[in-house]
Amino acid sequence: MKRFLFLFFGITTLWFRPSHAQTTPVRDRAGTTFSNPLPVQFGDPYILYTRGTYYLYGTGGADKGFAAYSSKDLVNWKPEGQVYFHNNKNGWSDPKASWDGAYWAPEVYEVKGKFYLFYSAQWKVNPSREVENFRIGVAVADKPTGPFIDLANQPVFDPGYPIIDANVFFESNGKAYLYYSRCCYKHLVESEVADLARKKGWFKEVEESWVYGVELKPDFSGVIGEPVLLLRPPVRLSDKQAEWESRSVTAREVNRRWTEGSVTFKKDNMYYIMYSANHFGGRYYAIGYATSTSPLGPFKKSDDNPVLQKNTDQGGTVTGTGHNSIAYSPDRKEMFCVYHARTAKTGDERVVCIDRMQVKNGKITVFGPTTTPQKYPSGVPVAVHTK
């Protein structure tokens, strides 16, 4: 645990270093291609598209809150400054808690002309003084650039354990579902992987994070019913998912197995939930997915997992690929996986990447990670990205 906290604090210091404004396009001379990473230093990236403009939100680049960037083409980004401040009139978080209040993983949704920002942070109600006291909040604004004001002076709900990585799925029948990750903190789980770690002398115990889903009230003031467990790390070593989802433990990075950073969408009457496993600060952070015929499962993990992972074994320079969201090209003909990663050049700094993805016959394919030139997203006007 001490080793984990040391790594955690060191990496988090990098997270909250202010991002430098970078608007120089990453493109070739003809202006028809771009290359990853994009010129934004964010973790946990999320993209909203509204009224002809993309807005990018993420962890980092702000002082105890969240910043945003805007773009017309998904490639060239303009800083919009800080859009959420913890000390708004309804602020419920504790900026003095560990990790400067842990303002992480913002996602913004447009609903009936308003913009709602879901995020996680340290809750100031903490009588037992837990180190990880994360909860999920929601703030509202009239514009995608804020300022966002919390709907209430408390989190959306309190499940009794720390939670992060909010994602909301809106069903065609008007219902909304909140997905989140229960943190590893004090969540010791027995498994054959934990047994192996003890036998090998790597760790005495293994903690896990699990993904849950629950229906949201229409006004986002709370939840309806009890959360449903949707995804967790494999219990048995013989499980097809065990090898890739346990690499942080088997590589002796940390004594934790994560299931986090989920994003849910629906296509052709099938529900897909993409998720990240392994240590977000390590090399093995990777993305998998599961499918279901219902928004609250049961979900079945794909045999093709992981669908995005480091490429250094193939001579590439990318590691730590994870916590993705989904975006579409301006003409909606192309689908993109938006994720953070690290490269040999960027070092420990998390940077944003986008790669094309395909969903066909119940299967997700992500064509990445890439650092070589690729075409601009389809539907981008020529005048936007040429000199």
Side-chain angles (χ1 to χ4, degrees):
M1 177 61 75
K2 289 182 179 178
R3 180 184 176 193
F4 166 74
L5 289 174
F6 175 79
L7 287 168
F8 215 135
F9 275 99
I11 293 166
T12 310
T13 299
L14 289 169
W15 280 7
F16 287 89
R17 186 170 60 199
S19 298
H20 298 291
Q22 300 184 46
T23 57
T24 303
V26 184
R27 63 186 181 188
D28 68 356
R29 290 186 177 182
T32 58
T33 65
F34 73 96
S35 302
N36 284 317
L38 301 182
V40 179
Q41 296 171 347
F42 268 167
D44 316 324
Y46 181 85
I47 289 179
L48 166 74
Y49 183 66
T50 178
R51 304 166 194 174
T53 300
Y54 294 95
Y55 294 91
L56 173 60
Y57 310 87
T59 299
D63 180 19
K64 300 176 180 61
F66 302 107
Y69 286 73
S70 64
S71 173
K72 292 291 185 182
D73 56 18
L74 276 176
V75 174
N76 304 287
W77 295 91
K78 180 182 73 173
E80 295 288 350
Q82 189 155 340
V83 299
Y84 173 84
F85 296 83
H86 76 277
N87 57 352
N88 68 80
K89 65 179 183 178
N90 291 329
W92 55 267
S93 60
D94 181 5
K96 296 181 180 180
S98 300
W99 308 290
D100 290 331
Y103 298 92
W104 296 342
E107 299 195 357
V108 177
Y109 306 90
E110 184 176 7
V111 180
K112 298 180 180 178
K114 296 283 188 177
F115 297 88
Y116 294 87
L117 183 149
F118 285 78
Y119 66 96
S120 49
Q122 295 270 31
W123 190 16
K124 61 186 177 184
V125 176
N126 190 6
S128 57
R129 298 184 180 181
E130 303 292 345
V131 175
E132 299 186 30
N133 195 44
F134 316 126
R135 296 296 188 275
I136 287 168
V138 57
V140 64
D142 294 324
K143 300 184 299 181
T145 53
F148 287 90
I149 306 299
D150 283 288
L151 284 180
N153 60 357
Q154 61 186 13
V156 174
F157 79 116
D158 178 18
Y161 47 80
I163 58 177
I164 58 173
D165 295 352
N167 175 249
V168 180
F169 172 72
F170 295 90
E171 184 61 284
S172 57
N173 61 9
K175 291 185 178 182
Y177 296 89
L178 172 67
Y179 301 86
Y180 65 86
S181 177
R182 172 178 183 166
C183 294
C184 293
Y185 182 68
K186 294 185 177 180
H187 190 214
L188 301 175
V189 179
E190 289 301 321
S191 67
E192 291 184 0
V193 174
D195 291 340
L196 178 65
R198 278 191 291 267
K199 181 179 179 181
K200 294 285 187 179
W202 300 338
F203 306 106
K204 293 181 180 180
E205 54 195 19
V206 174
E207 299 172 313
E208 294 184 359
S209 66
W210 297 356
V211 169
Y212 288 78
V214 65
E215 186 179 346
L216 274 171
K217 291 183 178 179
D219 61 359
F220 306 145
S221 63
V223 299
I224 300 172
E226 294 296 320
V228 178
L229 174 61
L230 303 179
L231 298 171
R232 57 173 293 184
V235 173
R236 300 187 180 280
L237 287 168
S238 58
D239 190 307
K240 292 181 179 179
Q241 313 294 330
E243 188 278 326
W244 81 273
E245 290 193 26
S246 306
R247 290 172 184 169
S248 288
V249 172
T250 57
R252 279 85 79 193
E253 284 185 335
V254 286
N255 69 323
R256 289 184 164 186
R257 292 202 296 168
W258 281 270
T259 312
E260 63 176 19
S262 66
V263 57
T264 299
F265 63 93
K266 184 179 182 181
K267 185 176 176 62
D268 298 329
N269 294 318
M270 180 73 73
Y271 295 86
Y272 297 82
I273 184 168
M274 301 179 76
Y275 65 97
S276 295
N278 298 303
H279 181 29
F280 60 88
R283 297 168 292 165
Y284 301 102
Y285 205 42
I287 296 171
Y289 75 96
T291 57
S292 176
T293 56
S294 167
L296 291 179
F299 280 89
K300 182 181 184 301
K301 294 179 181 179
S302 170
D303 291 338
D304 298 320
N305 289 341
V307 292
L308 187 69
Q309 61 182 318
K310 67 184 182 71
N311 64 9
T312 50
D313 294 342
Q314 292 76 44
T317 63
V318 182
T319 62
T321 55
H323 198 126
N324 75 296
S325 58
I326 304 299
Y328 290 86
S329 58
D331 61 7
R332 298 192 64 81
K333 292 182 178 180
E334 292 184 315
M335 196 174 187
F336 285 84
C337 180
V338 184
Y339 60 97
H340 73 241
R342 295 175 173 86
T343 71
K345 288 184 178 180
T346 60
D348 288 331
E349 191 69 59
R350 296 187 296 180
V351 288
V352 178
C353 300
I354 63 171
D355 278 308
R356 286 171 170 84
M357 61 181 285
Q358 181 184 73
V359 181
K360 188 175 182 180
N361 298 326
K363 179 179 179 180
I364 293 178
T365 304
V366 180
F367 302 100
T370 69
T371 52
T372 55
Q374 54 181 312
K375 292 182 180 179
Y376 263 63
S378 62
V380 174
V382 175
V384 171
H385 61 82
T386 57
K387 292 182 178 179

